[in-house]
Amino acid sequence: MRVPTLWLFSLFMITEGWNGFLGSDDGIKTKQELILNKEKPLGPFQEYELLLQVAYRDSKEKRDVKNFLKLLEAYPLFLPGPVKIIRAKATTYCGIQNGVLRCACDDGYSWFPPSCLDPQKCYLHTEGSVQSCDCHLNNLTQSVHFCERTKVWGTFKINERFTKDLLDSSSAIYSKYTTGIEIQLKEAYKSIQGFESVQVTQFRNGSIIAGYEVVGSSNTSELLSGIEQAAKKAKTGLHQLFPLEDNSFRVFGKAQCNSIVFGFGSKNDKYTLPCSSGYSGSITARCQPSGWHVLRETCVLSELEELKKNFSVIASNATEATVSSLVQNLSMVIQENPSTTAGNLASVVSILGNISSLSLERHFNVSISTMENVINISDHVLNSASVTNWTVLLQKEKNAGSQLLASLENISVLVPSTALPLEFSREFINWKGIPASSNQSNLGYNYQTEMFPENTSIPIRGHALIRSDQFQKPLPETIISMTSLTLGNILPVTKNGNAQVNGPVISMVIPNYSINEIFLTFSKIESNLSQPHCVFWDFNHSQWNNNGCHLVNETPDSVTCRCTHLTSFSMLMSPSVPTAIVPVVKWITFVGLGVSIGSLILCLTIEALFWKQVNKSQTSHTRHICMVNIALCLLIADIWFIVAATVDTTANPSGVCTAAVFFTHFFYLSLFFWMLMLGFLLAYRVILVFHHMATPLLVAVGFCLGYGCPLIISIITIAVTQPSNGYERKDVCWLNWSDGSKPLLAFAGPALTIVSVNLVVVLLVLTKLWRPAVGERLTQDSKATVVRVGRSLLVLTPLLGLTWGFGIGTIVDSRNLAWHVIFASLNASQGFFILCFGMLLDNKLRQLLLNKLSPLSFWNQASKQKSSDSSVKPRFKKTFNPFQHERKYVLSYTGESSNDIMLTQFSSSE
């Protein structure tokens, strides 16, 4: 038998003498080089935190591990040097339940909201007394946030001039302030119950703002209360060392922002830190509701700074060889230090710009090796993983992307024709150069390329065509072509605020030559965007411009443009729903959903009121179960639809959006499968007249079909498409249509198939009722019930099918206002349709409802009560003559005498 493995995470606190075995190391690191410990400032002793992962198989082994940790404090291991374990605690324990890794905190520890373990892949359950963390992981190698002791934070202001040395933890002034503050705060807080440690975490500008962190084993409120009571003692101790500003002490139990890099902060706090070792510059962040947001970052690798200085030195006497050497050195530095910062990007753009300007000015030729190094450098800085750093850089230097593109074009034209043909194909850029020849006069020029976006196997293609009549003698020397997918992300769109670059950027450069016509075809990166605009990059105004470029053709996958000049081209597209339509569609949707939800609640209320009266037969009972589940599924789907509409898809990826898409998909599918069950019920009662199925079995089949099939389809859809980020759309929370997997088909396919099947069933049933076979006639009650089912299906099936048919219309012709308005109106009114045609169209249910709501119902009930009271009197005071009135009677003979005749059926023709 396989024994499940669980994990226990323990935290060791170790002190050592300054010359101990750990020396001046920066800390213990994991395989991912994530620093898990916080080193104390230089002093007579250093403290380190070591995080260990220990496996155990059952509760006994867990107790053994915890007991072992307790023994370590009393009897530490033999460690070299003056090292001592001062504290060993078990913090987090984990186990796998139903394929999901679930972790919880040990006693005295808690998660630090809003993150647990891996913030991208784990979800923190805050409901209930025990908070747990669920991850879809098989290991914890990427985990960051484990359970911690209770933490509270505090700040105060020292009226002294702030110096940059306070940002350097190795400086003497940093050590002086930190040591003094911590000694005084420990002395003041040591009597607080549960207090364990206090540590200065940051210094900020504004005189000197000191921030510290208090850790304890008691809960947050108790620790805060103790610190507030000890505040006077803490202030007195600190006043002896520093000139404190009055009323500057602040203590709080919840930090809106908290990270290893920036520490804690409150809303709108701004913090500037020096870059890490090996980099010059600083990084500035502001605390926002979503956490620390980087405003400005100038961290530049020291080697890049050195190259910039070297270029300034050699610029006056530069030669082709020195420029080539500089480019080679730049390529080597980037390869050896692959991490990208906004400061590094700015330096690379600056160096390439200086090289291109100098080379153009001095008419230097660019060798094959130099051009290859330039392409390698460009591929590195255009990596899709660097887009976030480009965003930070563009806040400060808006033209950085334009400068990079101009440098690439300028360096490319300096490659001599004797070095061509030449082609470099990299992951994020493709470059091709050819010498012009008589072939261009006869065949023109044809350039094709394809690139693969991240996490997809569908290529994005680019195609440029210059016809032969555009090449007149004398012919040009060279033709340069270049394509990139990520260049579009760093060239800002200033016009049409909701438009975005939706294809590759194709650059066509022919030095000292002009043409009058070029055709370009771009694959669409996002196929759910519309309104394409053919544009070129205008270097003079640093923006996209459409002068001289026109749309020729658009297909579902590509856009073809015609332009009258050469430069760098692409195409802009906007969200599928035009901006003018959005308010109208939203208003219709939310008003309609309100009516729909109200109608569905009314449906369920009516069914609950008259459940016993309407469920007299198997067919009627099953039909009403179907109608209740149809109403319930649509009600839940509408609620999730509202949740999906309120999610901000432009913010960080949220699990709420994924959950909303999944449940909306599931419950809309369930609605259709219950409609299919109604169709099966109709066919079963009319076509299979002599076949009898037990009611519990029929109901079980309904629930398996109504919920089992949609659940399977929904789970398979998310399992197949979510790993490649193709499950949901990027602009709204709904199934995607733009990627190759097209998960929307997992809804449209089954829904429209069920509509078709139900229509066929209704036609067959009508035929059967019109011409029944001998012996297959239904009883009057069964026929009435079948007619009710058929009537509901006949009306609801086309309505629901038509609704989602218009939904497909919004995809095919997304710019048509009529499609969107009709679809929004019908989709938001489905609950009203079910109330009208599924409930109120039923004569029996309508009569019961009218009787219930009628003003005379009270008098009817009173008369019934009176008649029931009179029923105690002797019956048949007069001789009962069944043939006195014109009615139908059925008498049955049950014995030998006339006294054994019974009246078994009675109906009136009045």
Side-chain angles (χ1 to χ4, degrees), residues 8 55-66:
L8 184 73
Y56 65 94
R57 291 172 294 182
D58 50 37
S59 58
K60 180 182 179 300
E61 288 194 6
K62 179 184 175 182
R63 285 196 304 271
D64 292 342
V65 172
K66 294 177 74 172

Side-chain angles (χ1 to χ4, degrees), residues 552-566:
V552 175
N553 185 40
E554 180 186 7
T555 69
D557 300 317
S558 64
V559 170
T560 300
C561 300
R562 173 186 173 273
C563 293
T564 57
H565 50 78
L566 294 177

Side-chain angles (χ1 to χ4, degrees), residues 98 183 372 545 660 676:
N98 300 323
I183 288 173
E372 184 175 13
N545 196 326
L676 181 63

Side-chain angles (χ1 to χ4, degrees), residues 26-38 49-51 117-119 140-146 259-261:
D26 289 335
I28 310 302
K29 301 181 181 180
T30 64
K31 294 178 182 177
Q32 289 75 28
E33 296 298 303
L34 173 68
I35 300 176
L36 294 177
N37 66 297
K38 293 182 180 179
E49 294 180 1
L50 279 69
L51 183 68
L117 299 178
D118 187 337
L140 301 172
T141 56
Q142 300 293 335
S143 299
V144 178
H145 304 283
F146 293 91
S259 71
I260 295 174
V261 176

Side-chain angles (χ1 to χ4, degrees), residues 5 12 264 268 341 387 419 477 527 560 584 725 798 808 852 873 894 907:
T5 303
F12 285 78
F264 66 91
N268 294 325
T341 65
V387 171
E477 292 186 6
S527 61
T560 300
V584 178
N725 295 323
I808 294 175
K852 189 78 173 177
K873 298 178 182 179
T894 60
S907 62

Side-chain angles (χ1 to χ4, degrees), residues 311 314-315 318-327 351-367 370-371 374 406-415:
F311 180 84
I314 66 172
T319 62
E320 288 183 9
T322 53
V323 170
S324 179
S325 176
L326 182 66
V327 173
I351 293 172
L352 289 179
N354 291 334
I355 289 172
S356 67
S357 299
L358 181 65
S359 299
L360 281 173
E361 181 185 340
R362 307 248 179 122
H363 304 288
F364 290 157
N365 284 333
V366 174
S367 65
T370 300
M371 193 67 232
V374 169
S407 299
L408 290 175
E409 289 189 5
N410 292 337
I411 293 173
S412 296
V413 300
L414 296 176
V415 179

Side-chain angles (χ1 to χ4, degrees), residues 23 35 73 87 146 164 185 215 232 280 338 344 367 424 494 580 603 626 667 673 676 704 722 724 809 819 843 887-888:
I35 300 176
E73 293 187 51
R87 187 162 53 249
F146 293 91
K164 289 186 178 181
L185 291 179
V215 178
K232 185 176 181 181
S280 60
N344 282 350
S367 65
F424 302 109
T494 52
C603 285
C626 291
F667 283 108
F673 273 92
L676 181 63
C704 289
Q722 181 65 15
S724 59
W819 288 119
N843 291 333
R887 290 168 183 161
K888 295 179 183 178

Side-chain angles (χ1 to χ4, degrees), residues 880-897:
F880 175 65
N881 183 4
F883 304 102
Q884 186 175 355
H885 302 284
E886 187 180 347
R887 290 168 183 161
K888 295 179 183 178
Y889 303 89
V890 177
L891 304 177
S892 61
Y893 180 71
T894 60
E896 295 180 356
S897 68

